Amino acid sequence: MAKELSIFVDESGDRGGKARYYLLTLVFHDQADSIAEAVTGYEAKLARADLPNIPFHSEPLMNGHKDYEFLDIEQRKVMLAYFSSFVRKLPISYITFVYRRSQFEDPARLMERMGRDISSAMIEHLGFFQSFDDVKVYYDNGQDIVKQALDRSVGKVLSKGVVRRRKTSMTDYRLEQVADYLCTIELALVKYEAKENGETYNKFFGGVGSFKRNWLKQARSKQI
């Protein structure tokens, strides 16, 4: 039976280039390892707490926007904690790349750097990636520089015609939502260390010590 690896992609950084940092997260999942039980358990916890079973999206959750606008902050804190617990139980690994916008004179330079970094990471773990017969990248093509970086790196390193890019959305795949969560945790680390965390991070994660001992430690246990 063919072994299949799925790569779910999320980024943090606006299209207008105004964000100070740009993060790219790749989540890796061996399709032979079912996540059905973990998903069922997570959704059951939401139901018991009378919380909505909606696609996880960290930015509106933390700011009380969109689907989360009718929930108070304590409910949103519980939802974040539940999702964190869900991630901890998943058979996944991930990698995040962090960039400072000021170091790149234009998006093309950033795209080239991302492509090189993805290629280097895949070459470093080449045995892992080559152990799969099929590798599929799931990305909603939200930002063209990410799409191009993925094309130039994943396709180049795994040059066996095994890569098929697929569009996805937050409503379709829990693992895409996991990529969003992990991207948020890594961005929070950058903000804490730069003393740019602000009240929102403090309300959800606590101070830098609490964040590192709990949220970051749990996430980093999944790093490839």
Side-chain angles (χ1 to χ4, degrees):
M1 186 174 180
K3 287 190 65 180
E4 179 180 312
L5 177 72
S6 294
I7 304 176
F8 292 83
V9 183
D10 191 67
E11 80 284 323
S12 175
D14 59 278
R15 292 175 177 77
K18 296 178 182 178
R20 185 171 298 178
Y21 307 101
Y22 196 101
L23 280 74
L24 180 67
T25 294
L26 278 62
V27 170
F28 310 107
H29 175 235
D30 183 342
Q31 286 292 318
D33 296 327
S34 175
I35 67 168
E37 186 175 342
V39 170
T40 299
Y42 165 67
E43 294 180 348
K45 287 174 74 173
L46 290 175
R48 287 194 297 270
D50 196 26
L51 292 169
N53 181 8
I54 55 179
F56 178 88
H57 197 175
S58 57
E59 190 279 328
L61 181 151
M62 296 177 72
N63 291 294
H65 297 158
K66 297 182 180 178
D67 292 337
Y68 300 91
E69 65 179 329
F70 300 110
L71 300 172
D72 62 39
I73 188 168
E74 293 306 319
Q75 290 174 305
R76 289 183 279 123
K77 282 183 177 180
V78 171
M79 292 186 75
L80 184 63
Y82 283 177
F83 198 84
S84 173
S85 177
F86 166 62
V87 172
R88 189 165 59 246
K89 296 171 183 172
L90 293 174
I92 60 164
S93 56
Y94 83 99
I95 189 169
T96 295
F97 305 99
V98 180
Y99 307 98
R100 184 179 284 271
R101 288 276 195 179
S102 60
Q103 296 177 344
F104 301 92
E105 58 189 46
D106 57 50
R109 299 284 187 184
L110 177 57
M111 181 271 292
E112 290 172 4
R113 174 65 181 276
M114 285 193 297
R116 289 199 303 271
D117 288 347
I118 297 169
S119 294
S120 296
M122 296 189 78
I123 290 170
E124 182 180 351
H125 302 279
L126 194 57
F128 169 74
F129 290 104
Q130 288 188 334
S131 70
F132 294 91
D133 303 296
D134 199 11
V135 178
K136 297 176 182 176
V137 180
Y138 293 81
Y139 178 58
D140 64 4
N141 291 343
Q143 300 203 28
D144 192 58
I145 60 171
V146 174
K147 172 182 173 295
Q148 291 188 48
L150 290 167
D151 286 345
R152 295 186 180 198
S153 55
V154 181
K156 180 180 178 181
V157 174
L158 302 174
S159 54
K160 299 179 181 179
V162 296
V163 177
R164 286 184 284 166
R165 189 176 62 255
R166 292 183 171 187
K167 287 190 176 184
T168 184
S169 70
M170 281 297 186
T171 58
D172 292 335
Y173 294 106
R174 286 294 185 194
L175 291 176
E176 181 75 7
Q177 296 159 37
V178 170
D180 169 89
Y181 169 81
L182 293 168
C183 209
T184 293
I185 295 298
E186 293 291 343
L187 177 60
L189 175 63
V190 173
K191 293 289 188 73
Y192 273 109
E193 293 190 331
K195 294 182 169 53
E196 299 171 2
N197 43 297
E199 279 306 304
T200 299
Y201 283 133
N202 291 339
K203 287 176 182 176
F204 281 88
F205 300 130
V208 61
S210 174
F211 168 75
K212 288 184 175 180
R213 286 192 305 272
N214 300 296
W215 302 89
L216 183 65
K217 183 179 179 180
Q218 177 263 313
R220 287 285 177 88
S221 70
K222 300 293 186 180
Q223 271 192 326
I224 191 169

